[in-house]
């Protein structure tokens, strides 16, 4: 199976996990933009976890070769809520039991960059806590 065939099914797979894909570029890095179902002031950690679970499951089934994933979360087209990324090595370490799902999630959360809403003081959002990003919690 070629790399193009392996990434062609990523969009429907992500959608089956409840991720509203706006765009996906299956290159290296894989660039994923999705519209949040939770358009508050913070990226919903559980929603990011679902996107990552879809990729983890495909990698475990040997249907996707891990690459760096750059996630962009939008409230509406062009209105970026935040970004995150996951390194290919993290997927590989998870698959070989070198790190736990909790460690994987913590690494992704460390990359989270949220866009402050206009007129909001930094940190005023009070959204879901980091424990919701654990991919294990959404399985």
């Amino acid at each position: 199976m070629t790399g193009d065939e392996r990434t062609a099914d990523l969009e429907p797979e992500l959608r089956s996990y409840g991720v509203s894909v706006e765009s996906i570029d299956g290159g290296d890095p894989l660039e994923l933009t999705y519209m949040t179902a939770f358009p508050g002031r913070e990226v919903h950690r559980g929603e990011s976890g679902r996107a990552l679970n879809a990729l983890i499951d495909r990698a475990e089934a040997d249907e996707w070769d891990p690459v760096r994933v750059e996630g962009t979360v939008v409230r509406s087209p062009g209105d970026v809520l935040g970004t995150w990324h996951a390194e290919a090595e993290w997927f590989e370490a998870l698959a070989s039991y070198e790190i736990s799902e909790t460690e994987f999630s913590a690494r992704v959360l460390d990359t989270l960059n949220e866009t402050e809403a206009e007129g909001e003081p930094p940190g005023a959002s009070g959204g879901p806590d980091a424990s919701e990003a654990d991919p294990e919690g959404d399985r």
Side-chain angles (χ1 to χ4, degrees):
M1 188 177 287
T2 68
D4 288 343
E5 291 169 336
R6 287 174 174 253
T7 58
D9 293 334
L10 282 178
E11 183 173 347
E13 183 79 9
L14 287 160
R15 289 186 185 281
S16 77
Y17 278 72
V19 178
S20 180
V21 176
E22 288 291 299
S23 67
I24 189 166
D25 178 350
D28 186 359
L30 183 141
E31 297 174 4
L32 168 64
T33 300
Y34 62 94
M35 188 173 304
T36 184
F38 307 93
R41 294 180 218 123
E42 289 188 343
V43 172
H44 188 271
R45 278 51 168 178
E47 191 171 49
S48 298
R50 286 194 305 274
L52 291 163
N53 279 333
L55 297 170
I56 291 166
D57 289 349
R58 289 194 56 96
E60 288 176 350
D62 198 30
E63 296 172 348
W64 178 66
D65 296 321
V67 296
R68 178 184 166 106
V69 177
E70 296 179 355
T72 301
V73 186
V74 297
R75 291 180 191 94
S76 61
D79 182 10
V80 175
L81 178 59
T83 61
W84 52 264
H85 74 266
E87 298 294 341
E89 296 80 21
W90 302 348
F91 289 100
E92 293 162 0
L94 180 62
S96 63
Y97 303 102
E98 294 172 26
I99 64 172
S100 67
E101 288 184 347
T102 301
E103 175 64 21
F104 180 89
S105 295
R107 289 180 183 192
V108 173
L109 287 175
D110 284 345
T111 73
L112 185 60
N113 182 14
E114 294 176 315
T115 305
E116 292 294 333
E118 288 185 32
E120 287 288 330
S125 50
D129 66 35
S131 66
E132 293 182 39
D134 186 358
E136 182 69 22
D138 281 343
R139 287 189 184 221

